[in-house]
Amino acid sequence: MRTHYCGLVDEALLDQDVVLCGWVDTRRDHGGVVFIDLRDHEGVVQIVADPDDAEAFRTASEVGYEYCLRVSGKVRRRVSVNERVRTGRVEVLAARIEVLNAARDLPFVLHETTNEDLALKYRYLDLRRPHMQRAMRLRTKLVAALRRHLDARGFQDIETPILTKATPEGARDYLVPSRVHAGEFYALPQSPQLFKQLLMMAGFDRYYQIARCFRDEDLRADRQPEFTQLDMEFAFVEERDVQDEVEAMIRSIFHDVVGVELAAEFPRMTYEEAMRRYGSDKPDLRIALELVDVAAAVRGTEFKVFAEAANDPDGRVAALRVPGGAELTRKQIDELGAHAAKYGAKGLAWIRVDDRAKGREGLNSPIAKFFDDTTLDAVLDAVGAGSGDLVLFGAGAYKTVSDFMGALRLKVGRDRGLVENAWKPLWVVDFPMFEYDADAQRYVALHHPFTAPKVDDVADLKANAKTAVSRGYDMVLNGNEIGGGSIRIHRPEMQSAVFDLLGIGAEEAQAKFGFLLEALKFGAPPHGGIAFGIDRIAALMAGTDSIRDVIAFPKTTSAQDLMTAAPSAIPAAQLAELHVRVLEPEPK
């Protein structure tokens, strides 16, 4: 049907006949000559319809925006060169123009920004946009680069089941009712976690899979209920073996796909250090600002909020210096307080340093009156504050303060142009093994319940569960967790102990994970792995903040597909076949 792509027509084809197919990007009528920019997935080329060819000219005069055309003609030089496009030195003089399909008025103009819901409803039109075409081709290139790298290093691509057993790993499963087993359900996998561990026990040594995963999570911005990850697992490895292998892979794909040279060795940082310095377990190192603990300086102060947190073993008083922040208005500082409140802050204390040389008289702050001169100097010295700076404070429970001060650090850094134009990868290691859920009155796994602790002794783990450190690790890039993994538990008694600490009794563990506990008894090797978010890596490479821009048919933040109107109601007869009855939701 065609001989060439629109976007690849160049001077090498001068005076040659070509047949092109594509869409009408623009049409211009200039004094009796019609110009059409014809677009396909490679780009655009200018088509010229001259009155000397009456039929082609008539068709060109009648076509509309986004009409689908087939054009036959000869390549010639353009009089007015357009250096902005690859085809800008040539054009095609049309001999024949066929309308393959007309287009009615579009719901939005592809060259203009539009409401996201409207774009998702007509996603097939949204995907025609050149930037979306580029993003999707970049994603294809990324996946191909990953496969090339891993295939060359002896990894086996093995598919694992989509219909599997419900084994919650921190989010709700999507459940699939069985028609032939009345009242029983499959679950869609949140990850291939247990299957890839079983493959190591089966002796496959190095596994990978570009895996589709599903999580019925509560609504969160820029999360998708179905997503794609690169899953990997290694037998007979320790942490550094996995990290070195995948670090080389990430360096390789960034070089091959987007021409970026990442650091020769990624820095490593413990979870404790990341939370202390940056208030996040995925710190964005492009922002140089750091949190500073000032509890020692304010422990004896009259300011009760600070004093209580400073004297609480589980408390924190943290400060953040904002360079040049004294120029912020009270309204702008209040806006920072409102932002911190979204992450758990009950208030935001601050000191504006107008002139450090004047001491107390050079400060503007609602809390300075609670501190003596020595304390004020100690706090300002600790954060390195000078004239023209603003110091923000957080006090309270350690985790809460870290969370909202970390969020403030990011906001201040972005708002004030303090984000370095660079790629800053790192490893975050030594995560806590457990977090205590006060509502549920039990521990929960910080990574997942199959992560090995650093201690080998079961009694030691049980005695020190609160402070236990795991063998987990995350790869972080520019403030985004792009991969997370761990060394796994490979002894059945340790796995049973972890289940017990998580409140999963022996009977429940057998019902949910009996197959795993059984497999661990048959010479399971030490093993570990990692999973990378393909969507997130593609979004970073494409320079977009939203993973929806690199997913062909994404869902909204409320897990809806506006194009197909899914999820949708199912006819009663079909539900009856599945032995399922829908109950009306109870009124709130």
Side-chain angles (χ1 to χ4, degrees), residues 434-450:
F434 307 108
E435 282 185 317
Y436 190 74
D437 187 329
D439 294 332
Q441 295 288 298
R442 66 179 181 86
Y443 287 110
V444 295
L446 198 69
H447 267 84
H448 55 60
F450 318 111

Side-chain angles (χ1 to χ4, degrees), residues 289-325:
L289 305 180
E290 293 191 22
L291 307 184
V292 177
D293 286 317
V294 294
V298 300
R299 197 160 279 137
T301 182
E302 296 178 14
F303 192 34
K304 188 177 179 183
V305 174
F306 278 20
E308 288 183 352
N311 288 290
D312 183 347
D314 295 319
R316 183 176 196 187
V317 183
L320 175 68
R321 169 181 165 262
V322 182

Side-chain angles (χ1 to χ4, degrees), residues 272-529:
E272 185 279 328
E273 182 183 358
M275 296 301 291
R276 174 173 51 81
R277 294 174 61 187
Y278 303 107
S280 172
D281 60 0
K282 49 182 180 182
D284 189 342
L285 300 187
R286 296 174 303 166
I287 301 172
L289 305 180
E290 293 191 22
L291 307 184
V292 177
D293 286 317
V294 294
V298 300
R299 197 160 279 137
T301 182
E302 296 178 14
F303 192 34
K304 188 177 179 183
V305 174
F306 278 20
E308 288 183 352
N311 288 290
D312 183 347
D314 295 319
R316 183 176 196 187
V317 183
L320 175 68
R321 169 181 165 262
V322 182
E327 67 184 17
L328 295 178
T329 65
R330 181 61 186 266
K331 180 183 178 183
Q332 290 173 313
I333 296 174
D334 289 344
E335 288 171 353
L336 291 176
H339 183 75
K342 297 177 185 177
Y343 297 87
K346 294 180 180 179
L348 183 66
W350 52 273
I351 296 175
R352 197 169 69 196
V353 186
D354 295 325
D355 188 344
R356 181 77 194 268
K358 292 183 178 179
R360 180 183 295 273
E361 299 305 314
L363 306 180
N364 186 329
S365 169
I367 63 168
K369 61 187 177 184
F370 296 108
F371 306 126
D372 58 33
D373 291 348
T374 300
T375 300
L376 282 172
D377 282 338
V379 168
L380 297 178
D381 286 345
V383 297
S387 299
D389 291 342
L390 173 72
V391 183
L392 305 174
F393 297 89
Y398 193 95
K399 179 70 165 59
T400 302
V401 171
S402 299
D403 286 346
F404 73 73
M405 291 298 287
L408 273 178
R409 172 183 172 271
L410 292 178
K411 180 172 175 57
V412 167
R414 291 164 183 165
D415 289 353
R416 299 189 62 78
L418 301 177
V419 182
E420 183 183 354
N421 182 20
W423 294 92
K424 296 280 190 174
L426 80 152
W427 286 103
V428 177
V429 300
D430 292 351
F431 282 82
M433 186 75 181
F434 307 108
E435 282 185 317
Y436 190 74
D437 187 329
D439 294 332
Q441 295 288 298
R442 66 179 181 86
Y443 287 110
V444 295
L446 198 69
H447 267 84
H448 55 60
F450 318 111
T451 296
K454 282 213 163 185
V455 297
D456 290 326
D457 184 67
V458 169
D460 189 347
L461 177 67
K462 288 187 172 183
N464 300 286
K466 183 178 179 180
T467 58
V469 174
S470 80
R471 300 180 72 180
Y473 37 80
D474 285 354
M475 185 183 287
V476 176
L477 180 60
N478 291 3
N480 296 274
E481 178 204 331
I482 62 171
S486 67
I487 299 301
R488 324 301 188 189
I489 297 169
H490 71 281
R491 293 190 292 116
E493 60 271 20
M494 180 62 79
Q495 187 64 77
S496 294
V498 169
F499 284 154
D500 186 51
L501 285 167
L502 294 173
I504 302 173
E507 187 175 336
E508 183 183 359
Q510 189 61 38
K512 288 183 175 179
F513 307 107
F515 62 95
L516 173 67
L517 293 170
E518 186 77 5
L520 291 173
K521 297 174 183 177
F522 294 101
H527 58 285

Side-chain angles (χ1 to χ4, degrees), residues 126-141:
D126 189 39
L127 286 170
R128 287 187 193 174
R129 301 175 192 260
H131 77 275
M132 292 300 296
Q133 293 275 321
R134 288 192 296 272
M136 295 309 300
R137 294 187 74 175
L138 182 147
R139 183 190 177 107
T140 299
K141 191 176 178 182

Side-chain angles (χ1 to χ4, degrees), residues 17 24 31 33 51 83 109 158 169 193 218 226 261 303 377 384 407 426 429 533 536 540 546 558 574 582:
D17 292 324
V24 176
V33 178
E83 296 289 4
V109 178
I158 304 175
E169 297 174 23
Q193 180 62 44
D218 292 333
E226 54 180 314
E261 301 293 340
F303 192 34
D377 282 338
L426 80 152
V429 300
R536 174 54 57 201
L540 285 169
S546 175
S558 58
Q574 190 174 352
V582 176

